[in-house]
């Protein structure tokens, strides 16, 4: 394995060999995106030569498990170079986004590929995954006890299939392992972030910035936290807590909602708090805060009401406290969230 110090220019150890894995259920656009960005240094050198090494830093090829598929999940053709059986050693493996029917991952479909991933790890390769590629990476067992990320829509099936992995869907990029040999990006278009990370790590931060400018790629530092919707569990068997959850849907903005739930439960305070946390995974006050922030997000997206009014609407008379709570939950200020997610007013066409 070649050197991997952040920002290092490997020099005579370049180029690094990159294996892009194309399964029959792969989406072609992320696959081709990785291929084109990591191969764009010769073109980039014409415009920003000072940020680019003298020789291309990566040799990229597309490999397939077993029989070479003609097309990806969307029906677009795949330009596969060879099968994984022919690759005895590589520096970086990338598992791009794969389609997952019904958002439910079926394990065991690529056993030989999973064995190959373990073998590449043993000889020093860095294993990367974009979005649902993390599901296949998790099948190796190498992520057990470690953190991972994935698009929030696939978090339930990931947790169900791989309970030993500490899933962090709020993160846009996760690196883990003793030598940072596992790298994952979360959302479907976050392959941009993974590609820029690899360039910054193996070429230089300046090269990553230059590539981002050249390709008009953005790197969202706040991760997926702003996109995560609060989806409280309602399939537990505690009827008292379920009744309180249903009441809270329409009354979360009232003053002292936790005290009102306590009164309605008819339980001693400690029993109420213990049962509520066991059923929902959250304390009563944290649950209320999540509901209020979720409603505030919708109002910021869909209305132009001032933040102070929205704060009051969802149950907080102190706008400063609301702003702190909102940022802790979403990693954005209310104003920043509105700028990011509110639909712009498009000018009328002639």
């Amino acid at each position: 394995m070649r050197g991997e110090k952040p920002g290092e220019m490997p020099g005579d150890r370049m180029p690094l060999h990159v294996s892009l894995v194309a399964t029959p259920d792969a989406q072609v656009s992320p696959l081709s995106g990785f291929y084109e960005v990591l191969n764009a240094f010769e073109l980039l050198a014409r415009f920003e030569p000072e940020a680019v090494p003298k020789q291309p830093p990566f040799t990229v090829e597309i490999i397939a498990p077993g029989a070479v598929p003609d097309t990806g999940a969307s029906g677009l053709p795949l330009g596969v170079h060879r099968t994984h059986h022919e690759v005895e050693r590589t520096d970086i493996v990338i598992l791009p986004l794969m389609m997952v029917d019904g958002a439910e991952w079926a394990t065991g479909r690529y056993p030989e590929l999973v064995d190959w991933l373990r073998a590449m790890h043993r000889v020093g390769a860095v294993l990367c995954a974009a979005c649902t590629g993390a599901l296949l990476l998790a099948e190796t067992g190498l992520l057990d006890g470690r953190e991972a990320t994935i698009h929030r829509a696939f978090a339930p099936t990931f947790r169900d299939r791989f309970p030993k992995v500490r899933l962090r869907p709020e993160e846009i990029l996760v690196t883990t392992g003793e030598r940072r040999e596992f790298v994952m990006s979360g959302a479907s278009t976050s392959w941009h972030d993974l590609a820029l990370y690899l360039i910054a790590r193996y070429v230089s931060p300046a090269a990553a910035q230059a590539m981002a400018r050249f390709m008009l790629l953005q790197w969202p530092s706040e991760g997926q936290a702003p996109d995560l919707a609060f989806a409280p569990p309602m399939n537990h068997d505690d009827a008292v807590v379920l009744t309180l959850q249903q009441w809270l849907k329409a009354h979360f903005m009232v003053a002292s909602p936790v005290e009102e739930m306590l009164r309605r439960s008819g339980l001693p305070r400690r029993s109420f708090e213990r049962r509520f946390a066991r059923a929902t995974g959250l304390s009563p006050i944290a649950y209320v805060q999540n509901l209020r922030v979720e409603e505030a997000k919708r109002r910021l997206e869909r209305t132009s009401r001032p933040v102070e009014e929205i704060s009051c609407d969802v149950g907080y008379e102190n706008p400063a406290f609301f702003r702190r709570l909102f940022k802790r939950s979403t990693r954005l200020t209310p104003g920043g969230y509105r700028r990011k997610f509110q639909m712009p007013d498009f000018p009328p066409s002639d």
Side-chain angles (χ1 to χ4, degrees):
M1 180 65 188
R2 297 167 172 89
E4 55 179 287
K5 295 180 181 179
E8 182 183 25
M9 299 285 277
D12 60 358
R13 286 177 279 105
M14 279 189 170
L16 297 169
H17 186 268
V18 179
S19 298
L20 283 171
V21 179
T23 60
D25 46 7
Q27 283 198 337
V28 176
S29 57
L31 192 72
S32 61
F34 274 119
Y35 188 85
E36 291 176 348
V37 168
L38 296 181
N39 275 316
F41 283 89
E42 184 176 353
L43 181 60
L44 180 60
R46 301 178 188 176
F47 301 93
E48 299 197 43
E50 70 283 351
V52 180
K54 293 181 179 179
Q55 59 177 317
F58 303 108
T59 297
V60 189
E61 66 175 357
I62 299 174
I63 66 170
V68 177
D70 294 325
T71 63
S74 62
L76 289 173
L78 289 171
V80 176
H81 296 102
R82 54 178 175 162
T83 70
H84 74 276
H85 298 293
E86 302 171 81
V87 181
E88 297 181 357
R89 193 178 185 93
T90 190
D91 295 297
I92 301 169
V93 178
I94 301 177
L95 300 168
L97 172 69
M98 293 178 285
M99 295 297 292
V100 179
D101 290 338
E104 291 293 328
W105 178 253
T107 59
R109 290 178 297 152
Y110 304 109
E112 293 183 353
L113 180 59
V114 169
D115 289 341
W116 179 81
L117 290 170
R118 295 193 190 104
M120 294 303 99
H121 177 257
R122 284 195 297 271
V123 297
V126 169
L127 306 184
C128 306
C131 194
T132 49
L135 289 158
L136 185 58
L137 180 56
E139 283 199 42
T140 65
L142 297 170
L143 296 181
D144 288 358
R146 305 185 188 278
E147 291 187 346
T149 190
I150 198 170
H151 190 285
R152 56 191 172 89
F154 305 101
T157 193
F158 190 105
R159 289 192 173 103
D160 181 59
R161 302 297 191 275
F162 310 108
K164 295 181 181 179
V165 183
R166 302 195 303 273
L167 191 62
R168 299 286 305 279
E170 72 277 10
E171 300 295 342
I172 203 72
L173 193 77
V174 167
T175 62
T176 187
E178 294 179 0
R179 50 187 176 83
R180 297 180 301 144
E181 71 269 32
F182 306 109
V183 187
M184 289 149 280
S185 59
S188 55
T189 57
S190 64
W191 69 263
H192 301 171
D193 306 280
L194 179 52
L196 292 175
Y197 169 84
L198 292 173
I199 293 170
R201 176 170 171 173
Y202 291 106
V203 185
S204 72
Q209 292 169 348
M211 187 66 75
R213 285 192 299 267
F214 184 70
M215 293 288 188
L216 297 181
L217 305 178
Q218 294 185 345
W219 199 334
S221 60
E222 68 272 5
Q224 296 185 82
D227 301 287
L228 294 179
F230 180 52
M234 308 288 284
N235 58 350
H236 53 79
D237 57 3
D238 193 319
V240 171
V241 173
L242 183 59
T243 299
L244 295 174
Q245 288 178 272
Q246 292 168 340
W247 174 84
L248 201 55
K249 279 184 180 180
H251 301 91
F252 61 83
M253 73 294 293
V254 304
S256 305
V258 174
E259 293 301 319
E260 180 61 22
M261 284 195 294
L262 174 62
R263 186 188 69 78
R264 288 171 172 269
S265 74
L267 298 169
R269 180 177 292 275
R270 292 186 65 181
S271 295
F272 159 67
E273 292 176 346
R274 183 173 60 252
R275 285 177 61 172
F276 194 96
R278 183 170 63 240
T280 68
L282 294 168
S283 68
I285 187 61
Y287 191 99
V288 170
Q289 289 174 342
N290 274 279
L291 283 176
R292 289 176 167 180
V293 167
E294 195 63 25
E295 177 60 23
K297 287 162 65 176
R298 302 289 77 78
R299 295 185 185 217
L300 288 165
E301 293 168 9
R302 299 168 187 172
T303 76
S304 298
R305 289 171 62 83
V307 171
E308 291 77 9
E309 291 183 12
I310 291 176
S311 171
C312 189
D313 290 344
V314 300
Y316 294 112
E317 296 183 0
N318 185 336
F321 176 82
F322 165 71
R323 284 186 169 92
R324 290 195 299 272
L325 175 67
F326 190 93
K327 187 171 184 179
R328 188 172 71 228
S329 176
T330 67
R331 301 184 184 179
L332 290 171
T333 64
Y337 184 91
R338 170 172 273 165
R339 287 189 294 273
K340 183 177 177 67
F341 290 101
Q342 189 175 54
M343 182 66 71
D345 291 327
F346 294 105
S349 57
D350 295 333

